[in-house]
Amino acid sequence: MPVVVTGSIATDHLMTFPGRFTDQFVEGKMENVSLSFLVDDLVQHRGGAGANMAYGLGLLGLGPVLVGSVGSDFDDYDAWLTRHGVDTGSVRWSELKHTARFVCTTDTANNQIASFYSGAMSEASLIELAPVARRVGGPDLVIVGPNDPQAMVQHTQECRDRGYPFMADPSQQLAWADGEMIRTLVDGADLLFTNEYEHALLLQKTGWSEGEVLSRVGTWVTTRSAKGVIVEQAGQTPIEVIAVPETKPVEPTGGGDALRAGFVAARQWGLGLERATQVGSAVATAAIEVIGTQEYSLPTGPFLDRFAAAFGTAAADEVAPHLPG
Ligand SMILES: Nc1ncnc2c1ncn2[C@@H]1O[C@H](COP(=O)(O)OP(=O)(O)OP(=O)(O)O)[C@@H](O)[C@H]1O
Ligand SMILES: [Mg+2]
């Protein structure tokens, strides 16, 4: 049965201004600002945590079902995801709004002026999971990734009501969500993912102890950038997994989403927690060594060689039969 990935779907439009913003600000004239910067570079990246995770799962041959809300500008992005093995048949197209978009201009001093338009994402709470399950079969796992807050709460509630196993991945939404909302998102999850900072924030905001969280979720995975990953379960000794040695990050954004994709794929293949975390780390390394969150590929030979060098040949032999192609 498929993995259903709910979460944000967005594009990033990144421009560079070959000067300094501050040279164009006129002191004492800041109450009526009308500035235009002639930029010399524009790159566009496909992103959004939901789409990033689905991309990784697609590369790994899982045929994930992406669930989220987009605008009429989604055609090209749709084709891209489909080409990489993602089922986009349950993506909802808004009639009124564009796909969520992050627009950012950076100057030569690394100052940034950015805007985030949530657009069609704000309609994600209109999506129900039951019709998705009717179309593709009852899901093995529903990932509740960062998204429109109301959609996250509803997807989580629907999973609990219908008995779909779910993964809580609140990520950056933890920054502003209150304790009550976070408790709602986490309680009863099969899997909980956070990075180290979010791990601490979650404890602080929910008021739960480490043990109380672990009594409410099956497994808590905490990523710690170059320091590796910790996997915790109630009553078990935590499992620690190293990050892939000699990772050369060129853009760390998206590492978390790629790690989740690798972990979930390996669990679907039936591999143990330690092995799945290693697969996640290897996919994360591939993702952060390129610019863009969906620009990496996982060519079987090189992927396995690097995996074996990091985690041993016995581990690589366990993973090899499951890799596509
Ligand atoms: N410098 C690094 N060296 C090796 N691996 C790294 C490095 N940075 C990130 N990773 C890999 O990416 C994974 C996720 O990174 P991190 O713990 O920073 O999550 P995050 O802050 O949520 O990331 P994101 O920016 O994608 O939200 C790590 O567990 C690790 O496998
Ligand atoms: Mg993250």
Side-chain angles (χ1 to χ4, degrees), residues 25-42:
F25 296 151
V26 182
E27 225 180 303
K29 296 273 181 236
M30 295 301 282
E31 62 281 1
N32 287 307
V33 177
S34 172
L35 293 169
S36 171
F37 300 102
L38 184 63
V39 297
D40 63 1
D41 190 33
L42 166 64

Side-chain angles (χ1 to χ4, degrees), residues 42-92:
L42 166 64
V43 288
Q44 253 175 269
H45 286 302
R46 302 169 194 91
N52 289 343
M53 286 187 272
Y55 174 83
L57 287 162
L59 282 187
L60 291 162
L62 271 276
V65 179
L66 178 61
V67 172
S69 181
V70 299
S72 54
D73 54 338
F74 187 63
D75 282 310
D76 287 355
Y77 197 167
D78 189 3
W80 164 265
L81 289 170
T82 304
R83 206 155 67 238
H84 290 91
V86 178
D87 175 342
T88 59
S90 292
V91 169
R92 177 185 181 281

Side-chain angles (χ1 to χ4, degrees), residues 189-192 199 209-221 230-239 273:
D190 255 46
L191 280 168
L192 168 63
H199 183 117
S209 67
E210 188 99 22
E212 283 172 313
V213 176
L214 291 176
S215 72
R216 287 177 160 83
V217 305
T219 306
W220 188 357
V221 181
I230 295 190
V231 183
E232 295 170 288
Q233 285 184 329
Q236 306 287 320
T237 312
I239 299 168
L273 285 174

